[in-house]
């Protein structure tokens, strides 16, 4: 879950990392009334990065310029995202831009600090990115070791302050259940203060249950975009009476026309690749796992099939250890009975209750006149992507 810059900065200031004074506006007139001192920075609030290079971060030195600048930025498009608000901030007198971020290092499976003395918009090209890993069994000792590595990269008079920023950033990162907090640039101002000029925060949505303050989850999908109707519907599936068993609410809507119902996180990523490799265009990314109840899988299948213009449905997963195949496929059968799709359906699934699962699916297909092919463990998952794509070529909607 990606946050907007202003939301990220709210988190930073809670941990006493200085951020520029500013406020968010949706209209140029509103901003003009509120701003009393110039110059200011105007910054598009979108979940995507690279705003500077896209002309969505600009300065303004008087009221007229402010209005013109805001109007030139509002409603700009970043992929699917449209700029709906801007952050207007005091313009910082920048001496130098650094790059600082807190992340998880996948190699050591521990939190880490990334730092570069060459921060700013060309950070992708820098060769001076330094990684300093924390030791979870010795968090405070880690701060010392991380500081020893990073502080020599800045002038002596800035070291004490930078150490405090690193300490605060790591606290913010851990306590917020973030996956990444990136400050690029972390600036040192002409009067020698560290200020976070930008903030890119990605939260770990699996920690939602312990963050009542994450109210923005209602308005944002996993990529930080406004959720579609179907994404909203899918999100509700794991709440309510059946909340305790399995998950069936991961649904991200995409542009294509092949509906997918995957099971298992790892397999679903590989399957997505297999589908695209065969020239298929996914209509969604979705995945259920942990042996969810029949009703939950049915609800998810309904969401997937409710998308208009589908040309095929791929139900695919590995060989389950404890997910009951007849129960979960039974849920899909329930939804198929209601929707009765005309497009071809390919199933590849195995595990406990697989024979019964296959039987009820094939029986439903016969009764409903569906084009459905069922495969078990003997057919590799990826191969069934090709089978589905070939079937869709013969199919006329
Ligand atoms: P991004 O391109 O989406 O990462 O947007 P940033 O917020 O990082 O802004 C891009 C660039 O604008 C920064 O690298 C700075 O060079 C510049 N910038 C942002 N805020 C200020 C500011 O307050 N003062 C000055 N002088 N430059 C700024
Ligand atoms: Mn930035």
């Amino acid at each position: 879950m990606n946050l907007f810059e202003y939301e990220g900065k709210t988190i930073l200031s809670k941990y006493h990392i200085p951020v520029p004074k500013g406020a968010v506006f949706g209209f140029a007139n509103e901003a003009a009334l509120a701003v009393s001192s110039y110059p200011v920075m105007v910054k598009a609030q979108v979940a995507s990065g690279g705003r500077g290079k896209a002309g969505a971060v600009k300065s303004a030195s008087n009221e007229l310029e402010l209005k013109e600048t805001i109007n030139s930025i509002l409603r700009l498009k970043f992929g699917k995202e449209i700029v709906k608000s801007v952050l207007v901030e005091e313009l910082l007198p920048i001496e130098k831009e650094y790059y600082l971020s807190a992340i998880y290092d996948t190699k050591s499976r521990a939190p880490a600090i990334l730092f570069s003395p060459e921060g700013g918009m060309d950070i992708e090209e820098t060769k001076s990115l330094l990684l300093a890993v924390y030791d979870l069994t010795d968090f405070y000792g880690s701060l010392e070791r991380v500081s020893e590595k990073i502080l020599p990269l800045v002038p002596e008079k800035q070291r004490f302050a930078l150490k405090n920023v690193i300490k605060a950033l790591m606290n913010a990162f851990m306590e917020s259940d973030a996956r990444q907090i990136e400050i690029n640039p972390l600036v040192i101002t002409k009067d020698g203060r560290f200020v976070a000029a930008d903030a890119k925060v990605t939260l770990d949505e699996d920690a939602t249950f312990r963050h009542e303050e994450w109210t923005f989850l209602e308005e944002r999908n996993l990529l930080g975009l406004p959720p579609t109707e179907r994404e909203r519907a899918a999100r509700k599936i794991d709440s309510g009476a059946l909340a305790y068993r399995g998950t069936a609410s991961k649904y991200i809507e995409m542009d294509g026309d092949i509906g997918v119902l995957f099971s298992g996180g790892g397999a679903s990523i590989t399957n997505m690749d297999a589908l695209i490799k065969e020239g298929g265009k996914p209509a969604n990314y979705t995945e259920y796992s942990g042996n969810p109840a029949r009703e939950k899988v049915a609800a998810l299948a309904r969401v997937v099939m409710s998308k208009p213009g589908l040309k095929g449905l791929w139900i695919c997963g590995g060989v389950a250890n404890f997910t009951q195949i007849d129960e979960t496929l039974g849920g899909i059968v329930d939804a198929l009975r209601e929707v009765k799709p005309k497009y071809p359906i390919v199933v590849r699934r195995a595990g406990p209750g697989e024979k019964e699962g296959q039987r009820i699916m094939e029986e439903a297909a016969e009764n409903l006149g569906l084009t459905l092919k069922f495969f078990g463990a003997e057919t590799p998952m990826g191969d069934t992507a090709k089978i589905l794509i070939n079937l869709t070529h013969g199919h006329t909607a």
Side-chain angles (χ1 to χ4, degrees):
M1 165 71 53
N2 298 329
L3 299 190
F4 291 135
E5 176 189 9
Y6 74 90
E7 294 166 324
K9 282 179 167 168
T10 311
I11 295 180
L12 295 183
S13 22
K14 245 199 273 175
Y15 289 85
H16 308 293
I17 296 174
V19 300
K21 286 191 212 57
V24 180
F25 301 98
F27 299 95
N29 286 339
E30 256 179 23
L33 282 172
V35 173
S36 55
S37 86
Y38 291 90
V40 291
M41 291 298 294
V42 180
K43 312 178 77 179
Q45 295 304 287
V46 281
S48 341
R51 297 165 304 165
K53 287 197 168 154
V57 175
K58 284 182 183 158
S59 63
S61 46
N62 56 51
E63 188 174 320
L64 183 65
E65 256 183 56
L66 175 69
K67 286 188 191 170
E68 283 173 359
T69 308
I70 292 178
N71 286 327
S72 75
I73 291 176
L74 283 176
R75 277 166 287 284
L76 276 179
K77 275 183 127 183
F78 283 75
K80 280 187 183 175
E81 237 184 321
I82 297 167
V83 181
K84 292 193 184 124
S85 63
V86 293
L87 175 61
V88 178
E89 292 182 332
E90 59 173 320
L91 182 97
L92 299 166
I94 296 181
E95 172 79 32
K96 189 164 166 52
E97 303 189 16
Y98 295 129
Y99 175 96
L100 178 68
S101 106
I103 52 156
Y104 280 103
D105 173 39
T106 41
K107 209 168 141 209
S108 51
R109 298 182 176 194
I113 292 287
L114 261 178
F115 181 82
S116 168
E118 295 158 21
M121 295 195 285
D122 292 320
I123 189 65
E124 277 82 15
E125 275 114 64
T126 188
K127 287 176 183 67
S128 64
L129 212 53
L130 193 80
L131 180 80
V133 180
Y134 274 64
D135 176 356
L136 284 170
T137 62
D138 178 23
F139 215 70
Y140 292 97
S142 292
L143 175 66
E144 297 308 318
R145 282 188 297 279
V146 164
S147 302
E148 270 163 35
K149 246 177 128 171
I150 289 171
L151 300 188
L153 299 176
V154 306
E156 192 147 10
K157 58 175 192 285
Q158 296 171 12
R159 290 181 191 162
F160 179 73
L162 181 59
K163 185 173 171 181
N164 281 332
V165 175
I166 292 172
K167 185 177 168 190
L169 175 64
M170 192 42 88
N171 284 340
F173 175 73
M174 298 302 287
E175 288 176 17
S176 315
D177 283 312
R179 281 164 47 181
Q180 175 163 26
I181 301 184
E182 184 186 77
I183 306 177
N184 184 34
L186 170 70
V187 306
I188 184 91
T189 59
K190 293 219 157 46
D191 52 342
R193 293 175 297 127
F194 275 109
V195 183
D198 190 11
K200 219 162 172 291
V201 175
T202 307
L203 299 174
D204 182 352
E205 57 278 354
D206 287 341
T208 306
F209 70 96
R210 53 184 176 212
H211 292 278
E212 272 173 22
E213 78 279 13
W214 290 2
T215 47
F216 38 73
L217 288 175
E218 290 293 313
E219 299 120 49
R220 231 75 63 72
N221 71 7
L222 296 177
L223 304 175
L225 303 176
T228 66
E229 216 179 293
R230 272 171 280 276
E231 286 169 344
R232 274 183 212 280
R235 211 175 247 174
K236 295 202 183 97
I237 296 172
D238 286 336
S239 57
L242 291 166
Y244 64 94
R245 212 180 106 188
T247 58
S249 63
K250 284 218 170 87
Y251 178 91
I252 299 174
E253 194 146 352
M254 304 177 91
D255 285 337
D257 49 22
I258 305 292
V260 302
L261 271 161
F262 293 148
S263 25
S268 57
I269 303 285
T270 344
N271 287 337
M272 206 68 171
D273 286 347
L275 180 63
I276 291 164
K277 193 167 151 249
E278 294 303 334
K281 294 193 179 69
N284 62 285
Y285 169 82
T286 193
E287 178 245 321
Y288 62 88
S289 54
N291 198 23
R294 180 171 183 142
E295 295 93 310
K296 280 194 176 189
V297 185
L300 182 63
R302 270 184 218 112
V303 168
V304 169
M305 288 191 280
S306 71
K307 185 165 182 183
L310 292 186
K311 288 200 178 132
L313 177 64
W314 192 25
I315 300 157
C316 189
V319 183
N321 279 318
F322 81 103
T323 291
Q324 204 58 35
I325 302 304
D326 47 343
E327 164 110 357
T328 46
L329 291 186
I332 299 176
V333 166
D334 293 343
L336 287 173
R337 284 210 180 92
E338 293 161 27
V339 181
K340 300 186 189 66
K342 300 263 185 307
Y343 44 76
I345 302 162
V346 168
V347 190
R348 193 281 189 189
R349 193 68 170 127
E354 59 185 35
K355 284 271 166 339
E356 177 62 7
Q358 177 168 8
R359 193 190 65 74
I360 57 174
M361 280 218 118
E362 287 178 339
E363 188 184 85
E366 195 172 330
N367 291 341
L368 301 168
L370 310 177
T371 311
L372 183 143
K373 287 197 186 304
F374 194 103
F375 300 91
E378 70 292 343
T379 311
M381 289 189 288
D383 289 8
T384 64
K386 195 185 188 112
I387 296 167
L388 177 66
I389 296 304
N390 286 338
L391 283 173
T392 61
H393 290 154
H395 164 80
T396 44

